[in-house]
């Protein structure tokens, strides 16, 4: 809070000159896949992209780190690493999320369950201001995955538990100071005729409907296992999530469990005002699923599309929805393909474009205007490919509606950084875009 | 003068992501029936901070006097705020919550509204008194307090403690403009002084707020 205090202290004497007040307005989403409670949309040009990066033994300092890269083509640092912040050790760095005021960035590790909070007062030089290390002890959960801002709070979806390191888990609520507030077990009983598996992965909120959706992946035993070994272990392969859960947001009570086989991962609500549907991709079955209300007003989940050839297990990992809700990027890890789906009819998505963007690709993040698409390579340390196929990079592509054109690519191995995973955008202070 | 400029430069970072990249949003809509009072729990998010405020008569008072003893709905504001989805939205919500509570005297006497100014320089106790007008009058046990602070220095701990951001916008040459940005947050505080809900414009609806107030009033008081 030091930086914040400094800024506020600096406002002393300015208040007398202030003659109008503007409250940052309600927004439905970020660019384009964050909590709807996050304000300060970057609708223009982002200045930086921050990459939560897994350390690799023998590569540079070997530590997990937040890597900051210049993203503004008008700046000298465009496409260059401008800052790295090592947090110490390797704990399976994975995902990140902004607080509602976008001042702080929370980042989690799936192995040691540590949460790091970075202050972005100067986004060119993020500072580590807090480490939360007691999540397992406090909650019995393991593997903080999704960081989803609520007003003044951060809702964290975990992946596993301390008891058996399986997939039964829950969500944890912290206030923005990092203090524990509450925990919520994922449902394991029957709700609406479907039994919950207790697994978790992503969170997606639709404030206008007072609903929260969750998806399901797998526990520590699996996500920390070598992928080659895992796929040969028939028993382990049974331990993947096959449900989504609809929660009433206000009460945080599960209302309905949907059967969605094959580990439904990222959840994206359509950002188009008036739309009330969400889409997800099931990793193991390579299917797109739509969550929408039926004619009777009942929320339902149904399979609406296929990604690549499911027989080849392309493994759809991250998805990114366009701001108008009419398009969806899908990265498939195994074949390194970046695919675009026309979502004009969300009941029948159509793949209209595909390009191989790497030997392995995982996360995909697009700018609000949809013109820029960033791609990173790492899925999990033990699931990434081996040898020459283990490319580690971030790449920027431009999208003109017809084709992706690469602008730059940073080799994270060559730069001795590590495995590039989740990305978030920021802008320079005082810059209007 | 130099100090003023230094201050302006120091807050330059804050102007980044706001007006220029915001488009007028669609009006928030409530497309659901909120759960009935008492059927859910509001978590203890954080304790309301300690501090000193000025009441509308200009008397220094402990902030706790306005965050304990009743269920409190508190929002930061400026008397001259004009953003549709900022202070005016909170004000309209407060007015509606007041109207409905006055129709339920059993609840009205156990609730207070608090409007606390961001701007101690402009929003003096006199200005707050003028702003509050007839709403200052205690009615059927219900109270609406219009507070300010003696200085920014005394305001800051309250902002920080509640997690309310507020930054001065600067123009292209680094001068402070007459605009301050903040995310609209309204805090629901229980009689023990714990923040139990933080509303954003996305769900600052009177129906939701009233059910939350009633939910807190249905709780068994701690210590009994």
């Amino acid at each position: 809070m030091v930086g914040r205090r400094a800024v506020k202290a600096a406002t002393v004497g300015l208040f007398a000159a202030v003659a109008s007040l503007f409250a940052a307005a309600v927004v439905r989403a970020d660019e384009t896949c964050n909590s709807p409670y996050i304000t300060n949309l970057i609708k223009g040009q982002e200045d930086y992209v921050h990459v939560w990066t897994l350390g690799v033994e023998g590569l540079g300092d070997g530590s997990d780190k937040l890597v900051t890269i210049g993203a503004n083509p008008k700046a000298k640092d465009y496409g260059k690493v401008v800052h790295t912040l090592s947090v110490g050790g390797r704990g399976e760095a994975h995902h990140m999320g902004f607080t509602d005021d976008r001042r702080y960035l929370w980042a989690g590790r799936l192995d040691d369950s540590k949460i790091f909070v970075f202050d972005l007062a100067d986004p060119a030089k993020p500072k580590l201001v807090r480490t939360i290390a007691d999540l397992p002890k406090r909650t019995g959960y393991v593997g903080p995955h999704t960081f989803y801002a609520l007003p003044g709070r951060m809702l964290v979806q975990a992946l596993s538990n301390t008891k058996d390191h399986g997939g039964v888990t829950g969500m944890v609520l912290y206030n923005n100071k990092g203090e524990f507030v509450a925990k919520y077990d994922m449902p394991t009983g029957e709700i609406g005729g479907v039994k919950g598996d207790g697994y978790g992965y992503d969170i997606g909120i639709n404030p206008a409907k007072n609903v929260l959706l969750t998806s399901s992946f797998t526990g520590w035993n699996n996500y920390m296992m070598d992928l080659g070994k895992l796929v040969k272990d028939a028993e382990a392969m049974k331990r993947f999530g096959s449900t989504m859960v609809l929660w009433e947001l206000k009460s945080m009570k599960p209302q309905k469990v949907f059967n969605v086989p094959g580990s439904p991962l990222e959840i994206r609500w359509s950002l188009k005002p008036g739309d009330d549907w969400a889409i997800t991709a099931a990793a193991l079955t390579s299917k797109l699923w739509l969550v929408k209300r039926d004619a009777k007003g009942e929320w339902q989940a149904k399979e609406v599309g296929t990604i690549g050839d499911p027989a080849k297990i392309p493994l759809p990992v991250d998805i990114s929805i366009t701001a108008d809700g009419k398009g969806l990027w899908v990265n498939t890890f195994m074949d390194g393909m970046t695919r675009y789906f026309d979502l004009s009819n969300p009941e029948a998505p159509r793949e209209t474009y595909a390009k191989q963007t790497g030997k392995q690709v995982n996360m995909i993040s697009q700018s609000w205007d949809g013109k820029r698409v960033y791609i990173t390579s790492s899925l999990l340390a033990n699931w990434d490919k081996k040898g020459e196929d283990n490319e580690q990079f971030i790449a920027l592509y431009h999208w003109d509606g017809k084709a992706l054109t690469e602008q730059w690519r940073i080799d994270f191995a060559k730069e001795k950084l590590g495995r590039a995973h989740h990305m978030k955008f920021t802008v320079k202070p005082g810059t209007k875009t | 003068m130099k100090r003023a400029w230094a201050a302006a430069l120091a807050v330059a970072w804050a102007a980044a992501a706001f007006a220029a990249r915001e488009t007028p949003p669609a009006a928030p809509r409530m497309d659901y029936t909120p759960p009935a009072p008492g059927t859910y729990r509001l978590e203890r998010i954080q304790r309301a901070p300690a501090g000193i405020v000025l009441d509308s008569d200009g008397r220094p008072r402990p902030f706790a006097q306005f965050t304990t003893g009743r269920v409190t709905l508190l929002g930061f504001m400026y008397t001259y705020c004009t953003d549709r989805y900022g202070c005016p939205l909170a004000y309209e919500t407060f007015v509606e919550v007041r109207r409905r509570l006055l129709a339920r005297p059993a609840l009205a006497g156990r609730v207070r509204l608090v409007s606390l100014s961001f701007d101690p320089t402009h929003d003096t106790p006199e200005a707050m008194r003028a702003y509050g007008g007839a709403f200052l009058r205690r009615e059927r046990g219900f109270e609406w307090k219009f507070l300010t602070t003696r200085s920014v220095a005394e305001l800051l701990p309250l902002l920080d403690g509640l997690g309310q951001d507020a930054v001065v916008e600067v123009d292209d040459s680094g001068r402070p403009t007459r605009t301050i940005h903040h995310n609209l947050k309204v805090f629901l505080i229980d009689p023990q002084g714990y923040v139990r809900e933080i509303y954003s414009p996305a769900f600052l609806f009177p129906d939701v707020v009233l059910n939350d107030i009633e939910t807190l009033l249905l709780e068994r008081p701690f210590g009994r």
Side-chain angles (χ1 to χ4, degrees):
Chain A
M1 300 301 283
V2 174
R4 186 179 199 171
R5 281 179 183 281
V7 168
K8 284 176 182 165
T11 64
V12 176
L14 299 182
F15 277 77
V18 172
S20 68
L21 180 66
F22 177 92
V26 59
V27 292
R28 287 184 56 80
D30 203 357
E31 42 319 275
T32 56
C33 300
N34 287 333
S35 161
Y37 302 107
I38 291 176
T39 54
N40 311 337
L41 280 160
I42 303 173
K43 288 189 172 175
Q45 174 65 53
E46 59 281 0
D47 287 319
Y48 302 106
V49 56
H50 306 276
V51 186
W52 190 215
T53 303
L54 295 77
V56 175
E57 189 174 8
L59 195 65
D61 65 6
S63 167
D64 294 338
K65 55 180 67 69
L66 186 66
V67 177
T68 299
I69 293 161
N72 190 327
K74 292 180 180 173
K76 288 180 183 174
D77 57 18
Y78 181 53
K80 311 281 187 207
V81 174
V82 298
H83 189 259
T84 66
L85 175 53
S86 294
V87 297
R90 290 185 294 278
E92 198 65 43
H94 206 74
H95 280 195
M96 306 187 284
F98 293 113
T99 50
D100 58 340
D101 57 7
R102 214 183 170 110
R103 173 66 187 272
Y104 297 94
L105 182 62
W106 291 42
R109 299 207 296 202
L110 299 181
D111 186 13
D112 65 7
S113 295
K114 285 185 178 175
I115 297 170
F116 302 91
V117 181
F118 301 103
D119 184 348
L120 299 175
D122 179 357
K125 295 176 184 173
K127 287 181 183 172
L128 178 64
V129 293
R130 185 175 298 114
T131 302
I132 301 170
D134 65 349
L135 181 141
K137 189 178 174 187
R138 191 78 197 237
T139 65
Y141 305 149
V142 163
H145 179 271
T146 295
F147 296 88
Y148 206 87
L150 300 176
R153 286 153 283 178
M154 184 66 81
L155 186 61
V156 180
Q157 173 70 67
L159 295 186
S160 191
N161 66 80
T162 54
K163 204 176 277 182
D164 65 3
H165 277 188
V168 176
T169 189
M171 290 179 277
V172 191
L173 184 65
Y174 292 94
N175 64 28
N176 277 0
K177 300 176 200 299
E179 297 163 338
F180 172 83
V181 173
K183 55 174 276 193
Y184 308 96
D185 291 339
M186 307 306 285
T188 52
E190 194 173 292
I191 301 175
V194 179
K195 191 173 183 304
D197 54 22
Y199 284 34
Y201 182 80
D202 201 16
I203 294 169
I205 288 176
N206 182 337
K209 299 292 181 189
N210 189 33
V211 296
L212 178 153
L213 266 177
T214 54
S215 53
S216 56
F217 180 40
T218 194
W220 185 95
N221 292 327
N222 278 1
Y223 67 67
M224 290 304 293
M225 193 187 299
D226 178 83
L227 185 61
K229 187 180 168 191
L230 174 64
V231 296
K232 291 174 188 164
D233 185 335
E235 282 305 307
M237 288 303 290
K238 291 177 186 171
R239 293 190 283 270
F240 278 86
S242 58
T243 62
M244 295 182 76
V245 180
L246 185 86
W247 303 66
E248 184 185 68
L249 175 61
K250 169 59 78 172
S251 63
M252 287 301 286
K253 290 177 183 170
Q255 301 294 302
K256 190 164 186 178
V257 179
F258 304 113
N259 269 321
V260 183
S263 270
L265 299 181
E266 321 297 330
I267 299 165
R268 308 295 183 222
W269 285 96
S270 172
L271 311 177
K272 184 183 170 192
D275 274 1
D276 284 307
W277 52 264
I279 196 158
T280 189
L284 302 182
T285 53
S286 210
K287 298 289 185 182
L288 288 168
W289 284 74
L290 183 71
V291 178
K292 190 181 178 185
R293 291 204 291 197
D294 63 17
K296 295 176 183 171
E298 277 285 310
W299 290 98
Q300 307 289 357
K302 67 175 178 178
E303 183 189 315
V304 291
T306 299
I307 304 160
D309 179 359
K312 294 178 181 171
I313 313 179
L315 211 59
V317 274
D318 196 19
I319 59 176
S320 176
I321 196 165
T322 58
D324 62 5
K326 291 184 177 174
L328 186 77
W329 289 104
V330 179
N331 267 359
T332 43
F333 179 77
M334 297 305 288
D335 56 12
M337 299 294 287
T338 296
R339 304 159 188 270
Y340 187 80
F341 282 78
D342 181 345
L343 274 187
S344 299
N345 177 5
E347 308 266 355
R350 287 183 306 117
E351 183 183 300
T352 56
Y353 178 79
K355 179 187 180 82
Q356 187 173 29
T357 51
K359 290 180 177 172
Q360 58 182 4
V361 294
N362 184 23
M363 303 307 291
I364 180 162
S365 297
Q366 66 182 303
S367 56
W368 181 260
D369 59 14
K371 292 178 181 173
R372 297 174 300 285
V373 176
Y374 296 84
I375 290 165
T376 55
S377 51
S378 178
L379 177 52
L380 288 156
N382 291 317
W383 288 24
D384 285 352
K385 294 180 180 179
K386 308 288 194 294
E388 287 188 359
D389 287 342
N390 183 27
E391 288 181 341
Q392 292 299 340
F393 65 88
I394 177 174
L396 167 65
Y397 287 85
H398 281 181
W399 171 245
D400 62 4
K402 294 176 183 171
L404 288 171
T405 310
E406 185 174 320
Q407 303 302 302
W408 48 255
R409 178 175 293 243
I410 298 175
D411 186 330
F412 268 45
K414 192 178 170 189
E415 298 290 331
K416 300 187 187 308
L417 296 168
R419 302 172 188 270
H421 197 97
H422 204 198
M423 297 165 279
K424 290 290 173 190
F425 304 151
T426 55
V427 290
K428 276 181 187 171
T431 307
K432 291 185 178 178
T433 62
Chain B
M1 192 64 184
K2 277 185 178 176
R3 284 182 63 186
W5 276 105
L9 291 170
V11 298
W13 71 267
F18 298 98
R21 60 199 67 182
E22 293 284 357
T23 53
R29 61 194 172 99
M30 188 177 80
D31 194 10
Y32 62 93
T33 303
T39 63
Y40 56 96
R41 173 181 163 76
L42 294 165
E43 307 294 352
R44 280 183 163 190
I45 299 168
Q46 62 201 33
R47 186 179 274 283
I52 300 293
V53 292
L54 295 179
D55 66 17
S56 53
D57 292 322
R59 291 173 297 203
R61 301 284 189 192
F63 187 47
Q65 190 174 318
F66 303 99
T67 58
T68 57
R70 291 176 176 232
V71 171
T72 302
L73 193 64
L74 181 148
F76 289 92
M77 43 65 69
Y78 265 81
T79 54
Y80 44 89
C81 175
T82 56
D83 177 63
R84 184 181 167 198
Y85 299 116
C87 313
L89 175 64
Y91 182 81
E92 288 165 19
T93 306
F94 279 27
V95 169
E96 179 61 14
V97 166
R98 174 185 179 275
R99 187 185 71 78
R100 296 198 205 176
L101 282 171
L102 287 178
R104 303 177 65 184
L107 301 184
R110 301 166 67 191
V111 181
R112 79 162 66 84
L113 306 181
V114 174
S115 296
L116 175 56
S117 176
F118 278 111
D119 182 357
T121 305
H122 181 278
D123 289 343
T124 60
E126 294 75 23
M128 294 302 289
R129 199 161 58 240
Y131 177 80
F135 292 135
L136 282 160
R137 193 172 62 244
R138 190 181 172 113
E139 200 170 338
R140 293 172 214 170
F142 177 82
E143 58 185 39
W144 187 347
K145 299 293 185 183
F146 295 84
L147 309 176
T148 189
T149 45
R150 282 184 291 215
S151 64
V152 172
E154 291 195 352
L155 173 66
L156 291 179
L158 307 181
L159 292 170
D160 267 348
L162 285 166
Q164 173 67 66
D165 56 297
V167 288
V168 178
E169 185 185 73
V170 293
D171 62 19
D172 290 339
S173 57
R175 299 177 187 222
T177 69
R178 301 167 78 87
T179 298
I180 290 184
H181 297 287
H182 71 280
N183 296 319
L184 176 62
K185 293 181 180 179
V186 171
F187 302 86
L188 181 67
I189 304 170
D190 69 18
Q192 288 72 41
Y194 284 93
V195 175
R196 304 292 293 273
E197 182 57 284
I198 303 171
Y199 304 97
S200 78
F203 63 110
L204 184 62
F205 303 118
D207 288 347
V208 174
V209 173
L210 284 159
N211 282 9
D212 289 349
I213 288 172
E214 204 168 340
T215 293
L216 292 185
L217 291 175
L218 286 169
E219 286 183 348
R220 210 173 67 148
F222 292 96
R224 285 193 187 175

